[in-house]
Amino acid sequence: MQPACSREMQAMDSLLNPTHHLPLQDLQIHGHPPPQFDNPTPSHDDFLEQMLSTASFPLSSSSWSDIDDNAFPQGGDGGSNPFQAMKMMMMMQQQLLVAGGPTVASAAATGGTHQGGGEGSITSMQALFNGFGDGSFSHPQPSFGAGSKTDINQSQGPAATTAAPEKPKQKVRARRGQATDPHSIAERLRRVRIAERMKALQELVPNANKTDKASMLDEIIDYVKFLQLQVKVLSMSRLGGAAAVAPLVADMPSEGGGDCVQTSANGGGVSLPRNSNGDQPSSANDSLTVTEHQVAKLMEEDMGSAMQYLQGKGLCLMPISLATAISTANSHSRSPMINHVNPNNGNHLLLQSSGGGGDGPSSPSMSVLTVQSATLGNGGVDGAASVSKP
Amino acid sequence: MCPHTSLKQQFLKKWIMGLQRCSFSKKNMSILERKKTIKLSADIAMASARNGTTRWSRALISNASKDGSDNRLVQQILGPDSNTPAATTTNKAGTRRASVCKKIVKRSHQIRRRRRKCVAAAPVKAVTSSISEHLVRKRRQVLKTLIPGGEFMDEICLIEETLDYITSLRVQVDVMRSVASACFSQS
């Protein structure tokens, strides 16, 4: 019954809103047109017209003006208007039955010009009307659902007159569980919009199965940082030519100021490795560059010695495609500090084995810093050295 | 990323155009400058691909054009669209004013809500909710520093801009990576 109720409420709403002037005119100008007892061949708006016109009989002018004041000017609150309309309807029905007026099925009294509204509401209107005609007001109550139970209960009080003065108070209460305070409505709307957008973000950001808002924001922040870092490093890789290691590595902390994107903190963070192992002193920057210089030099002569040197340091050499794969795999976990560079020719990079090297992809914080060796200009072995720290 | 192919093509075109224009001016630049130009041109290309529809792109361009040394670069890259910096500054001022007003209203709402909460809710609940709010607020602050022009946005706007920014960053990374691999795979 509830869908039917909503439909009929909508129909009534649409009816009342544009046509509310007409019944008033009927009452004021034409006085009280006699009811017509035609056959029940309804168009529901005619039925409504009939009801409104015949309801003028038993109604006192004060109550009618009350209804008028309360029912009609509420164009703004669309949620409560149908309920107001329904209340009005029921009140009039009540008075009709109390006055012993005839049950009017329909009539072609006035107008009949507005044939609007869906056909589906006709049957529901009929059903409602039958419910009224039975004289038991408890019928429509469950059909209106939880929406305005309290309102209807109160409006169906012992006397119609007592219902009328309560109308101004009921105007505030629209739905159960929802306040009509405009501020809270705006709040609710805002929260809904934010939730929608967060859901859209969840699909975009990988590893976003978090339900908590704070952790979601964390993931988003990390991902944005990671992407910005990637762009920065990729733009560095294009340089080609003889790229000295030190300026590149040292550049990152200093160029934070001149950047379009404000990632100064990150730019510094990448080149300064995290000192997880004790050998590396605080000036790990220099040691890195020294290592890379050495490796480049060694690689010129003999790859084998270069490899040995690296292994002595606890580093290893790997193709950059593999590093790319690892970095993309790590981007799905929480590892913000990954950047890698495609070298000019050679596809090698250094990787520090973290405790046996088995947990490369699973290591949550692996930073890969790739730079180009100083010997690129020779066109010889162009190795790209990169150091990663767990 | 099939739905982004058009965006990728646009970005690529603009970027290459920008790079060409930049390289014509100076023949030999140092490493830093080259890196900066590449990155700058990529950023500007990305931002201009949005045609000023999103706030972060406008903020990016205006930030870049504010700096004197980069201004020439930006002008070269943007080419005939020289009226965009003026538009962006006015936009930023307008949005700033609007967001300041919004902030004031929001703060009043928060205060009112907090007062209501203190009266109605249990003390434990109020404490936990305020803690979570605090956390979320902190993270939102960080996000605002990340997105260009993000300090002037309210929450809804911020999330929308983040969405757009992430997609454009992804496009940038993909295109750059593919170009790099194309260039360097030959040798």
Side-chain angles (χ1 to χ4, degrees):
Chain A
M1 190 61 182
Q2 280 202 353
C5 284
S6 60
R7 267 209 314 278
E8 76 196 337
M9 280 171 205
Q10 282 170 15
M12 290 212 51
D13 191 19
S14 60
L15 279 174
L16 282 175
N17 276 336
T19 65
H20 66 272
H21 292 300
L22 212 47
L24 279 179
Q25 280 181 356
D26 281 342
L27 292 168
Q28 290 160 9
I29 298 175
H30 301 286
H32 310 299
Q36 305 183 12
F37 310 108
D38 291 342
N39 278 335
T41 56
S43 58
H44 53 280
D45 32 26
D46 293 343
F47 152 69
L48 182 59
E49 288 283 309
Q50 188 58 41
M51 280 196 52
L52 290 173
S53 54
T54 53
S56 65
F57 277 117
L59 284 175
S60 59
S61 57
S62 59
S63 58
W64 177 250
S65 59
D66 274 339
I67 297 170
D68 181 28
D69 288 338
N70 292 323
F72 294 134
Q74 289 188 17
D77 198 357
S80 58
N81 211 352
F83 293 104
Q84 291 294 326
M86 287 316 299
K87 271 183 255 169
M88 198 181 66
M89 283 276 299
M90 288 165 45
M91 274 191 51
M92 291 190 300
Q93 270 301 315
Q94 198 176 6
Q95 302 206 350
L96 265 180
L97 289 172
V98 162
T103 59
V104 181
S106 77
T110 57
T113 51
H114 17 273
Q115 299 285 329
E119 291 300 305
S121 51
I122 293 179
T123 51
S124 51
M125 289 288 284
Q126 281 291 307
L128 186 60
F129 179 66
N130 289 336
F132 279 137
D134 288 340
S136 63
F137 282 102
S138 57
H139 269 233
Q141 269 190 22
S143 63
F144 287 128
S148 55
K149 254 189 202 154
T150 53
D151 305 339
I152 293 178
N153 279 335
Q154 291 196 9
S155 73
Q156 298 208 337
T161 50
T162 56
E166 286 183 7
K167 280 254 169 146
K169 293 180 202 161
Q170 289 167 10
K171 201 192 331 191
V172 183
R173 228 177 306 138
R175 274 182 226 265
R176 189 176 73 175
Q178 286 178 350
T180 53
D181 187 22
H183 287 299
S184 47
I185 285 182
E187 278 273 340
R188 210 186 318 138
L189 194 66
R190 180 177 157 269
R191 250 180 280 142
V192 161
R193 288 165 83 185
I194 289 178
E196 285 174 25
R197 282 157 180 84
M198 292 289 284
K199 236 183 289 182
L201 260 180
Q202 248 185 346
E203 297 163 20
L204 209 55
V205 174
N207 199 28
N209 47 0
K210 313 276 190 298
T211 49
D212 187 21
K213 198 170 179 181
S215 45
M216 235 350 263
L217 280 175
D218 256 345
E219 287 291 323
I220 293 169
I221 286 172
D222 286 341
Y223 192 57
V224 168
K225 281 191 207 165
F226 166 63
L227 285 176
Q228 284 174 349
L229 215 50
Q230 261 193 324
V231 167
K232 205 183 298 183
V233 169
L234 273 175
S235 67
M236 271 201 293
S237 77
R238 303 322 181 64
L239 303 179
V245 164
L248 267 180
V249 171
D251 172 48
M252 295 189 75
S254 63
E255 56 106 10
D259 235 351
C260 288
V261 182
Q262 303 125 10
T263 56
S264 49
N266 295 333
V270 168
S271 51
L272 301 174
R274 300 175 212 162
N275 298 320
S276 49
N277 25 358
D279 342 284
Q280 306 243 343
S282 57
S283 60
N285 232 345
D286 305 333
S287 70
L288 264 181
T289 66
V290 165
T291 311
E292 279 150 358
H293 275 295
Q294 273 282 40
V295 167
K297 249 184 271 174
L298 280 174
M299 283 206 312
E300 275 180 64
E301 313 159 5
D302 176 25
M303 274 306 287
S305 59
M307 291 294 286
Q308 281 177 6
Y309 175 74
L310 283 175
Q311 279 171 7
K313 289 244 163 214
L315 306 165
C316 76
L317 214 59
M318 74 189 296
I320 205 156
S321 47
L322 186 56
T324 312
I326 289 180
S327 77
T328 48
N330 268 345
S331 75
H332 293 300
S333 65
R334 288 196 45 130
S335 75
M337 311 299 263
I338 290 187
N339 57 1
H340 56 279
V341 173
N342 279 332
N344 265 344
N345 303 345
N347 291 329
H348 305 289
L349 55 87
L350 296 170
L351 253 189
Q352 181 170 32
S353 60
S354 56
D359 48 5
S362 61
S363 144
S365 57
M366 196 172 78
S367 71
V368 177
L369 174 67
T370 68
V371 293
Q372 293 172 345
S373 72
T375 62
L376 276 175
N378 299 343
V381 179
D382 304 351
S386 80
V387 178
S388 82
K389 304 243 173 266
Chain B
M1 277 204 174
C2 300
H4 299 278
T5 41
S6 63
L7 193 64
K8 282 190 195 174
Q9 286 164 8
Q10 230 183 350
F11 166 63
L12 187 63
K13 218 178 5 172
K14 293 207 172 161
W15 186 32
I16 289 184
M17 254 176 21
L19 277 177
Q20 281 176 351
R21 284 213 193 106
C22 292
S23 60
F24 282 157
S25 59
K26 289 191 195 173
K27 281 305 166 186
N28 40 353
M29 299 188 274
S30 73
I31 280 296
L32 295 179
E33 286 188 40
R34 281 169 80 170
K35 178 227 166 231
K36 260 175 87 170
T37 39
I38 289 175
K39 178 154 196 316
L40 189 63
S41 55
D43 283 339
I44 302 288
M46 201 66 236
S48 65
R50 286 294 179 196
N51 278 335
T53 44
T54 52
R55 282 200 199 152
W56 67 264
S57 56
R58 296 199 290 255
L60 201 74
I61 293 182
S62 67
N63 277 339
S65 49
K66 240 190 291 174
D67 204 5
S69 60
D70 298 335
N71 204 1
R72 258 182 310 112
L73 224 61
V74 174
Q75 292 300 320
Q76 283 174 351
I77 291 175
L78 284 180
D81 317 326
S82 51
N83 54 352
T84 35
T88 52
T89 46
T90 52
N91 271 335
K92 234 171 78 163
T95 52
R96 185 173 195 167
R97 231 175 285 129
S99 59
V100 162
C101 296
K102 275 189 207 162
K103 272 188 195 161
I104 293 175
V105 172
K106 206 170 49 160
R107 229 173 277 142
S108 70
H109 285 176
Q110 275 182 357
I111 290 173
R112 188 183 310 188
R113 207 187 340 149
R114 226 175 283 141
R115 277 204 209 115
R116 252 192 258 147
K117 265 190 192 169
C118 291
V119 170
V124 177
K125 193 177 171 192
V127 164
T128 51
S129 66
S130 66
I131 285 179
S132 65
E133 272 178 22
H134 180 64
L135 282 177
V136 168
R137 216 176 301 140
K138 249 201 312 191
R139 281 166 176 81
R140 215 172 290 149
Q141 283 300 316
V142 176
L143 194 59
K144 280 187 179 175
T145 57
L146 280 180
I147 313 278
E151 295 98 17
F152 312 120
M153 301 181 204
D154 59 343
E155 191 176 340
I156 299 177
C157 213
L158 187 67
I159 298 186
E160 283 177 5
E161 296 288 320
T162 314
L163 258 173
D164 197 52
Y165 190 57
I166 285 181
T167 38
S168 55
L169 274 179
R170 263 181 160 175
V171 162
Q172 229 177 349
V173 163
D174 282 342
V175 167
M176 286 170 108
R177 197 183 283 176
S178 51
V179 166
S181 61
C183 287
F184 303 136
S185 62
Q186 301 162 1
S187 52

